[in-house]
Amino acid sequence: MTSEELHKEFENAVDRINAHTDPFPADFLLRLYAYYKKATNDYGRPSSRKPIINAFKTNALFQVQDISPDEAKREYINLVNDYFLYRK
């Protein structure tokens, strides 16, 4: 898969998540958050008003620190596809 194809598939996965109206499990959201931040090279600090949420987000980011942005995109796509596959 080319870089352009990967990016397009990643954007489609992001759109699927954003269009979904039912709540997601918290652990799933944390993994999505970490992969998304890594895939988009967004290294801003978590900005929740609740310190415990910031701690969970920081931990999720720490867990993906050693993967490339392209690998983060692949993982995000796989996570989204698996989620919707098992929710039918």
Side-chain angles (χ1 to χ4, degrees), residues 3 18 20 22 27-28 44 58-59 76 79 86:
S3 182
N18 289 334
H20 191 70
D22 293 332
D27 64 324
F28 177 75
T58 299
N59 182 48
Y76 187 100
L79 195 59
Y86 293 113

Side-chain angles (χ1 to χ4, degrees), residues 2-52:
T2 68
S3 182
E4 286 180 22
E5 291 169 332
L6 177 61
H7 185 71
K8 178 103 172 120
E9 195 169 333
F10 172 71
E11 287 181 336
N12 288 339
V14 171
D15 289 344
R16 283 180 78 188
I17 291 298
N18 289 334
H20 191 70
T21 56
D22 293 332
F24 292 108
D27 64 324
F28 177 75
L29 286 175
L30 280 172
R31 288 184 289 161
L32 283 179
Y33 171 82
Y35 289 132
Y36 180 85
K37 294 288 245 178
K38 185 68 176 194
T40 59
N41 291 312
D42 182 353
Y43 298 109
R45 296 178 56 161
S47 60
S48 174
R49 286 183 251 167
K50 296 183 180 184
I52 189 70

